[in-house]
């Protein structure tokens, strides 16, 4: 029996995955790609490839769990994690369109009819923990430039303007994951952070899921995310930790620098200009924003996940020397294909948190 | 091929031509650079080395020679910078497509970029040469 490649599977991948990653995935499952999504979709419209379809579905599910995420880490003891894992395991899946189509994404029309409220669509269990996967819809605004040459030749706008900027409101399906680690005293709240989403909206979504978790379990188990600000220096100064591709820092000489590596596989830590500047000062630079990329491989696939810890130039201390809310409450983890590279980055974050924790916490007991 | 061999080849192939003179001047300037400082040289870098204020056909020809001839010491590449100021280094194939056909697929959206040559920063990097024999 022929099984044509599910076009909604391709369109779901297109909606979520950066082309560079998707191109690699399509080739890895044995499909030929053309230049860009349109030509590739056309070329694959009448392909019979059951193996590819199964594998693409797996990649899509993994990307839903791990791709293009804002992640907040919450310190939660054994009892709390056990209770949350149990509550998640018993939670009923939704009955709405998000759940019935999972892992496929709804098209724009169906999204408009689905409503905006989150729905539990999947519960995931593996050796690393247990997670609840939610789907929801938000309206994202994108700006597009419209050339006046595209307008009707009689339009008065053509003489008045050279370029017009339009705002497009588009419903977008997002996924969030509440992940209870089995081996660490940590619960992660991961929310999709696609291109075009503001940090403000991303933090609002995070807050929404934090409250939902607390309601599910009937207690405030997730209160304040772990402050990741100390990891900026910790990870920047560890030369074995990937490649620093961006660093923003204050200097004691009264400037703020934003340095980015443009060439791949080069590290700012070793870059002549950066090293020269750092060595010219007797005071350490004060980084508050770092992006680090790792180069890994798994099952023949090249993986290049990137972590960003984005603080502000105000730093960690207020007037009077005190510190308040977490300076960096979230990690941005992007360019992950799935659990392999995402968990690598998450483990590196947890490792640096452990190094910075003054007292040894009680050993985590496996839960879930 | 070490530095001496590079200069010898350029001299024997291009001697006494306008392109040859610029080519040699450029090669000598590039070969004096610390390799770490030659990871991303732009047209501005080249103009400074040959002390010119604009790119001439002879300079273009010299760069072609230094990237494609037997005495090639440079590798050409490109950085795509989109409207969000996100930059990504192009693969050799992608850069070749931009140069030859003005075609590029956006690495994130997967859609064709309109007139990509306007959005690609061309650069050159010094290839690793053999150490000179003593």
């Amino acid at each position: 029996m022929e099984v044509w490649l599910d076009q909604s599977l391709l369109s779901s991948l297109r909606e979520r995955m950066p082309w560079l990653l998707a191109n690699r995935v399509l080739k890895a499952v044995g499909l030929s790609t053309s230049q860009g999504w349109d030509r590739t979709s056309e070329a694959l419209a009448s392909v019979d490839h059951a193996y590819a379809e199964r594998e693409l579905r797996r990649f899509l599910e993994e990307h839903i769990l791990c791709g293009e995420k804002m992640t907040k880490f919450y310190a939660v003891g054994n009892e709390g994690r056990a209770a949350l894992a149990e509550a998640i395991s018993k939670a009923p899946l939704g009955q709405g369109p998000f759940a019935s189509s999972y892992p496929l994404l709804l098209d724009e029309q169906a999204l408009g009819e689905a409503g905006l409220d989150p729905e539990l669509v999947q519960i995931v269990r593996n050796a690393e923990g247990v997670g609840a996967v939610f789907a929801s819809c938000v309206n994202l605004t994108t700006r597009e430039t419209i050339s006046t040459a595209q307008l009707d030749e009689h339009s008065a706008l053509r003489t008045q303007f050279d370029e017009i900027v339009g705002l497009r409101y588009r419903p977008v399906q997002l996924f969030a994951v509440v992940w209870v680690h089995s081996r660490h005293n940590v619960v992660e709240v991961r929310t999709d952070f696609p291109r075009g989403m503001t940090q403000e909206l991303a933090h609002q979504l995070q807050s929404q899921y934090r409250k939902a978790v607390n309601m599910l379990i009937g207690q405030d188990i997730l209160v304040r995310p772990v402050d990741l600000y100390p990891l900026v220096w910790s990870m920047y100064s560890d030369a074995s930790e990937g490649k620093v591709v961006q660093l923003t820092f204050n200097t004691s000489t009264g400037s703020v620098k934003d340095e980015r590596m443009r060439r791949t596989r080069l590290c700012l830590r070793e870059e002549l200009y950066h090293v020269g500047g750092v060595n010219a000062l007797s005071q350490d630079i004060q980084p508050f924003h770092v992006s680090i990329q790792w180069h890994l491989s798994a099952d023949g696939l090249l993986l290049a996940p990137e972590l960003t810890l984005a603080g502000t130039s105000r730093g960690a201390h207020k007037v009077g020397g005190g510190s308040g809310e977490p300076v960096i409450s979230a990690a941005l983890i992007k360019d992950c294909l799935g659990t392999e590279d995402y968990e690598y980055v998450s483990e590196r974050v947890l490792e640096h948190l452990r190094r910075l924790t003054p007292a040894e916490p009680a050993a985590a007991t496996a839960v879930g | 091929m070490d530095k001496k061999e590079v200069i010898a080849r350029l001299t024997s192939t291009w001697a006494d031509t306008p392109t040859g003179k610029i080519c040699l001047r450029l090669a000598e300037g590039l070969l004096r650079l610390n390799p770490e400082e030659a990871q991303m040289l732009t047209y501005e870098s080249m103009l400074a080395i040959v002390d010119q204020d604009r790119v001439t056909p002879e300079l273009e020809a010299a760069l072609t020679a230094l990237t494609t001839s037997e005495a090639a010491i440079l590798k050409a590449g490109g950085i795509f910078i989109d409207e969000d100021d996100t930059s990504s280094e192009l693969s050799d194939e992608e850069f070749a497509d931009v140069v030859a056909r003005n075609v590029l697929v956006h690495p994130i959206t997967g859609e064709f970029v309109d007139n990509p040559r306007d959005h690609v920063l061309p650069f050159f990097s010094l290839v690793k040469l053999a150490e000179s024999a003593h």
Side-chain angles (χ1 to χ4, degrees):
Chain A
M1 187 180 77
E2 284 171 341
V3 177
W4 301 117
L5 198 61
D6 188 343
Q7 289 302 301
S8 59
L9 186 48
L10 285 181
S11 59
S12 296
L13 282 167
R14 179 174 185 164
E15 186 63 32
R16 285 193 63 80
M17 243 190 222
W19 168 247
L20 262 186
L21 293 186
N23 194 14
R24 244 182 269 161
V25 163
L26 291 168
K27 284 177 180 163
V29 303
L31 295 172
S32 304
T33 60
S34 290
Q35 281 192 307
W37 269 118
D38 286 340
R39 288 189 186 174
T40 297
S41 297
E42 219 174 275
L44 297 177
S46 53
V47 162
D48 166 20
H49 207 313
Y51 169 79
E53 180 146 335
R54 272 197 315 275
E55 286 296 292
L56 286 180
R57 195 169 282 259
R58 180 178 69 77
F59 272 110
L60 177 60
E61 288 197 54
E62 292 234 344
H63 197 265
I64 284 169
L65 287 178
C66 303
E68 314 303 305
K69 294 286 192 237
M70 170 183 277
T71 298
K72 296 196 181 185
F73 297 83
Y74 294 86
V76 179
N78 294 330
E79 222 173 272
R81 286 185 301 115
L84 183 54
E86 193 184 339
I88 287 173
S89 298
K90 289 180 178 165
L93 295 183
Q95 301 292 307
F98 289 135
S100 58
S101 66
Y102 181 84
L104 300 178
L105 274 62
L106 300 178
D107 62 32
E108 210 164 300
Q109 186 185 341
L111 266 184
E113 294 159 8
L116 303 178
D117 290 336
E119 188 180 6
L120 180 65
V121 295
Q122 183 66 288
I123 293 166
V124 177
R125 287 176 161 279
N126 60 34
E128 298 306 316
V130 60
V133 184
F134 297 89
S136 65
C137 174
V138 294
N139 286 314
L140 289 188
T141 307
T142 51
R143 301 168 70 85
E144 289 178 26
T145 304
I146 306 158
S147 165
T148 52
Q150 294 174 269
L151 300 175
D152 183 88
E153 60 181 277
H154 301 297
S155 169
L157 294 172
R158 288 186 79 161
T159 54
Q160 289 172 8
F161 300 100
D162 297 307
E163 211 171 62
I164 296 171
V165 177
L167 298 180
R168 191 189 290 270
Y169 304 108
R170 200 168 72 93
V172 173
Q173 185 172 348
L174 300 177
F175 292 89
V177 181
V178 176
W179 187 261
V180 183
H181 276 268
S182 56
R183 296 184 293 115
H184 307 294
N185 287 332
V186 168
V187 171
E188 288 180 21
V189 177
R190 308 175 193 170
T191 48
D192 276 346
F193 190 49
R195 203 164 184 248
M197 179 184 274
T198 62
Q199 290 249 355
E200 189 188 347
L201 175 57
H203 283 286
Q204 279 174 12
L205 288 172
Q206 277 279 337
S207 186
Q208 178 184 40
Y209 285 102
R210 178 179 57 79
K211 289 174 186 167
V213 167
N214 291 338
M215 270 187 58
L216 173 70
I217 201 163
Q219 54 173 295
D220 283 351
I221 196 172
L222 305 183
V223 178
R224 182 188 274 209
V226 174
D227 187 0
L228 302 175
Y229 177 76
L231 267 65
V232 175
W233 179 263
S234 176
M235 296 185 99
Y236 159 71
S237 57
D238 182 350
S240 69
E241 204 63 83
K243 306 278 184 197
V244 173
V245 295
Q246 183 177 4
L247 190 77
T248 317
F249 54 94
N250 292 323
T251 68
S252 57
T253 42
S255 69
V256 60
K257 310 286 189 204
D258 181 21
E259 297 184 351
R260 295 183 208 192
M261 294 306 293
R262 276 186 154 167
R263 299 286 320 269
T264 51
R265 296 190 176 255
L266 296 182
C267 181
L268 201 55
R269 296 185 191 98
E270 295 150 12
E271 193 240 350
L272 204 59
Y273 184 89
H274 177 74
V275 170
V278 165
N279 288 343
L281 304 179
S282 63
Q283 303 282 313
D284 282 335
I285 57 170
Q286 294 137 34
F288 52 87
H289 176 133
V290 69
S291 293
I292 295 177
Q293 191 180 60
W294 290 266
H295 293 273
L296 318 164
S297 70
D299 298 328
L301 268 174
L302 293 174
L303 309 170
E306 187 175 306
L307 166 73
T308 294
L309 302 173
T312 70
S313 59
R314 283 193 306 279
H317 297 94
K318 305 196 298 193
V319 173
S323 51
E325 293 296 311
V327 179
I328 300 178
S329 62
L332 306 178
I333 304 176
K334 69 172 203 164
D335 291 343
C336 292
L337 269 179
T339 49
E340 185 89 34
D341 37 1
Y342 179 92
E343 282 172 4
Y344 183 89
V345 175
S346 174
E347 284 292 322
R348 297 319 305 149
V349 169
L350 294 176
E351 168 59 26
H352 279 266
L353 283 173
R354 261 194 296 277
R355 290 181 198 173
L356 293 167
T357 304
E360 278 297 311
T365 53
V367 297
Chain B
M1 190 172 54
D2 63 19
K3 291 180 185 181
K4 273 188 186 167
E5 283 167 340
V6 169
I7 299 297
R9 282 196 195 192
L10 287 172
T11 308
S12 70
T13 310
W14 297 91
D16 298 328
T17 64
T19 298
K21 286 190 169 75
I22 290 186
C23 207
L24 266 172
R25 194 169 172 188
L26 195 49
E28 281 161 353
L30 289 166
L31 292 171
R32 275 196 291 269
L33 291 177
N34 177 342
E36 283 182 301
E37 288 188 73
Q39 297 291 322
M40 191 166 151
L41 300 166
T42 62
Y43 276 99
E44 281 78 10
S45 316
M46 303 305 176
L47 287 171
I49 290 173
V50 298
D51 195 24
Q52 283 180 197
D53 55 14
R54 60 185 180 86
V55 178
T56 57
E58 290 77 19
L59 178 58
E60 277 283 18
L63 283 166
T64 301
L66 291 175
T67 49
T68 59
S69 72
E70 281 184 348
I73 57 171
L74 293 173
K75 185 171 187 294
I79 305 282
F80 168 58
I81 303 167
D82 71 9
E83 57 197 17
D84 294 330
D85 206 33
T86 307
S87 57
S88 46
E89 184 175 347
L90 301 180
S91 67
D92 291 346
E93 294 76 19
E94 286 169 332
F95 183 64
D97 267 345
V98 171
V99 168
R101 302 189 295 135
N102 200 17
V103 163
L104 177 66
V105 171
H106 195 294
I108 296 173
T109 67
E111 291 165 6
F112 282 103
V113 175
D114 200 27
N115 200 12
R117 284 185 190 148
D118 280 355
H119 304 282
V120 170
L121 166 68
F123 71 91
F124 304 86
S125 55
L126 209 54
V127 301
K128 195 169 158 63
L129 295 175
E131 294 289 322
S132 299
H134 293 294

